[in-house]
Amino acid sequence: MASHRCRGLLSIAGVAVLGSVIAACGSPGTSGSTSSSAASAVAPTYTVNVNDAAGATGGYVFFNEGTSPASAVVGQRSHDERRASSRVVIADKKGRVVWSRTAPPGQSMADLQVQQFHGKPVLTWWQGNLASGQSGVDYIADEHYQIIATIPAGPAGANIHEFRLTDNGEHAWITIYQPITADLTAVGGAKDGTMYDAVVQEIDVATKKVLFDWHASQHVPITDSFISPKDTVDNSGGIYDPYHVNAISLAPDGHVVVSMRHTSTVYNLDPATGAIVWQIGGKHSSFALGKGVQFSFQHDAEMPDATTLRLFNNNSDGQTTNGASSIEWIHLDTATHTTTLIRNQTHPGNVRATAMGNAQMLPNGDVFGSWGTGNHIAEFTPTGQMVYDVTLAPTGSYRAYYQPWTGEPIGVPEAVIGHDGMTIRAAWNGATRVVQWRVLHGSTAANLTPLATAAWNGASTPITLPQKASGYYQVEALDSAGKVIGRSVPLSAE
């Protein structure tokens, strides 16, 4: 049998874990399977700064790294980012990769999370082209990491900003950026200019039938935008982006909550008619903003209850900055149309996110999420204590989540002998039940006995050999009860 050695220091599954730093040294393959590959030109990192025992437990961190979804919006694409590949990642709080999937060349991936589909947890994400309206496809994958459904969303494609399953996965809410011809003279543009219409759709996942179809251009004048055609022409392929819809959620009463970055406004829509019931923020707020209630260029607006609005307040678009970025909770009094600030959570590092970001409420009451282009993922308790903090490089994550997940990958583990012949790497991309690895060794593939064991330490776990590799090796994955749940193909050291 042929030898399977690393082509460098680290080269299996595109993942290497050194302490709490994740280094991408290749591609795990677009199918999400474990495989070795040549080293990547750039090694994005995930550095854990704070991991307090008081933080949430029992889950994994879901995020994206590599090419940033914000690049096409704020024009901040770095030299390293232009060279980096894009992938979605599941890691534990120590920063050890559990599973990753890399986008094909020229594409990006984002918004990896766990959602419910027909009574089962599934993985969902967006994948596509950041240029041309950030057009792509929304994916649903099962616990075996096999794609079971997609939402292509017609000719314009599904936009990166939202993919929310509802009704037990029967329906999906998505964003679309639809190019249209429009009179832009009111905002200093051409009479027959081109702009992106912000489209909000509810789609039947099985039939792909459109159940709700809302176009911002029919309800919101472009003069409500804080962005001029000149502001976005350089970053949007010459197409004006007056709205930039970036979040859809459902209020407790079933109304549709929509966030639009470029109007700095959150809208409440009647699901039956599409009419705007109320709007908060921006140039024409239905509510008087109380003391401390201020936000702009926001993301991820949601209503956890009938009178509370929670959002990630970017407070900056890279050109205009109105203050520090924060997670903001706002009380809405619909009778008096007034608002009261409940809580405004800033990051102690004074992080400013010019784009991207989210806020996820955890079962223990903590809030977790990405700080977008501020390149942090953080968790805060209800009292404001930061109990988890990560620095991402060279780019931030569009959103980040902390969720439970059980993955059962198809296929068997892989073993790779280190270049120096003194280590063997055991890998099984996405296997969450592995607690320990056992190495078997023998002079022939049919005569293998236990040689060493090591605790799971990421999707590619290094195991030190007692002597330089010779003969044949096999790795066995053991669960918490010590049961063998997977075996690699015997590997020759020659």
Side-chain angles (χ1 to χ4, degrees):
M1 184 177 295
S3 172
H4 194 177
R5 291 180 179 269
C6 293
R7 300 184 187 177
L9 176 62
L10 307 171
S11 67
I12 186 164
V15 178
V17 181
L18 301 175
S20 59
V21 178
I22 297 174
C25 62
S27 168
T30 55
S31 67
S33 62
T34 304
S35 61
S36 60
S37 64
S40 170
V42 178
T45 59
Y46 181 108
T47 304
V48 180
N49 306 312
V50 177
N51 190 5
D52 196 295
T57 59
Y60 297 103
V61 182
F62 295 72
F63 65 101
N64 67 271
E65 65 178 9
T67 306
S68 168
S71 303
V73 181
V74 297
Q76 294 183 336
R77 196 172 184 188
S78 67
H79 175 69
D80 280 350
E81 187 181 348
R82 287 193 297 270
R83 298 169 61 204
S85 58
S86 175
R87 68 173 185 167
V88 288
V89 181
I90 303 173
D92 68 7
K93 275 195 164 183
K94 292 182 180 180
R96 299 177 299 184
V97 172
V98 174
W99 176 80
S100 67
R101 179 185 176 99
T102 299
Q107 293 193 11
S108 294
M109 302 175 74
D111 203 20
L112 176 69
Q113 62 176 303
V114 178
Q115 299 198 66
Q116 291 294 312
F117 185 68
H118 297 169
K120 294 183 177 181
V122 293
L123 293 180
T124 64
W125 68 86
W126 174 90
Q127 180 176 316
N129 188 346
L130 289 181
S132 305
Q134 301 174 347
S135 175
V137 176
D138 292 314
Y139 289 87
I140 302 174
D142 62 17
E143 71 274 22
H144 307 300
Y145 305 99
Q146 302 300 296
I147 295 169
I148 55 176
T150 59
I151 306 294
N159 176 263
I160 188 174
H161 286 96
E162 192 66 80
F163 177 36
R164 186 180 295 267
L165 295 177
T166 60
D167 303 308
N168 197 28
E170 298 290 339
H171 301 156
W173 290 86
I174 67 169
T175 51
I176 299 172
Y177 283 23
Q178 177 68 58
I180 61 172
T181 300
D183 184 349
L184 306 181
T185 55
V187 290
K191 184 172 180 60
D192 58 348
T194 302
M195 74 175 211
Y196 283 122
D197 194 0
V199 181
V200 172
Q201 285 189 348
E202 180 187 20
I203 296 177
D204 185 294
V205 174
T207 67
K208 306 300 186 288
K209 180 181 179 181
V210 176
L211 308 174
F212 180 88
D213 187 35
W214 186 85
H215 294 244
S217 62
Q218 299 174 11
H219 300 271
V220 181
I222 59 174
T223 51
D224 280 7
S225 180
F226 288 96
I227 304 298
S228 73
K230 187 178 184 304
D231 291 330
T232 58
V233 70
D234 291 337
N235 296 320
S236 301
I239 300 178
Y240 178 43
D241 184 12
Y243 305 120
H244 202 86
V245 58
N246 61 20
I248 310 167
S249 61
L250 296 183
D253 63 0
H255 281 204
V256 186
V257 179
V258 173
S259 168
M260 294 204 295
R261 168 186 169 91
H262 287 169
T263 63
S264 292
T265 304
V266 177
Y267 304 84
N268 182 292
L269 311 181
D270 185 321
T273 66
I276 297 174
V277 179
W278 53 254
Q279 59 192 69
I280 181 171
K283 297 179 180 180
H284 302 290
S285 181
S286 306
F287 292 82
L289 304 185
K291 182 179 179 180
V293 178
Q294 179 276 322
F295 61 87
S296 56
F297 308 109
Q298 76 291 332
H299 283 73
D300 194 28
E302 300 187 37
M303 291 188 68
D305 60 58
T307 61
T308 303
L309 175 66
R310 183 188 70 245
L311 52 82
F312 184 86
N313 176 21
N314 294 83
N315 242 355
S316 176
D317 68 345
Q319 299 180 42
T320 301
T321 299
N322 299 314
S325 297
S326 65
I327 301 169
E328 195 166 325
W329 288 259
I330 303 167
H331 174 73
L332 308 178
D333 188 325
T334 55
T336 63
H337 287 274
T338 57
T339 63
T340 306
L341 181 65
I342 300 172
R343 177 183 172 189
N344 189 56
Q345 181 66 62
T346 57
H347 191 286
N350 195 31
V351 174
R352 187 185 73 176
T354 56
M356 309 191 298
N358 74 303
Q360 174 203 7
M361 293 306 299
L362 301 181
N364 69 347
D366 289 1
V367 62
F368 186 96
S370 168
W371 288 70
T373 56
N375 291 11
H376 279 259
I377 293 173
E379 176 186 349
F380 297 89
T381 67
T383 61
Q385 177 189 0
M386 188 171 71
V387 291
Y388 188 69
D389 183 61
V390 165
T391 303
L392 298 174
T395 63
S397 182
Y398 172 58
R399 290 175 177 172
Y401 304 89
Y402 187 72
Q403 298 172 302
W405 173 251
T406 300
E408 302 279 355
I410 292 175
V412 298
E414 287 193 45
V416 176
I417 298 171
H419 187 70
D420 60 2
M422 294 302 297
T423 59
I424 189 167
R425 287 188 171 269
W428 205 3
N429 194 24
T432 59
R433 294 197 297 122
V434 181
V435 172
Q436 190 177 54
W437 288 102
R438 181 163 59 206
V439 180
L440 306 180
H441 175 254
S443 58
T444 68
N447 184 29
L448 301 175
T449 58
L451 175 68
T453 60
W456 179 91
N457 194 29
S460 175
T461 296
I463 305 168
T464 301
L465 299 175
Q467 58 188 23
K468 192 165 185 178
S470 63
Y472 286 79
Y473 293 87
Q474 184 178 48
V475 294
E476 293 180 330
L478 310 179
D479 65 12
S480 58
K483 179 183 176 182
V484 177
I485 56 175
R487 291 185 178 90
S488 68
V489 174
L491 170 68
S492 172
E494 301 305 322

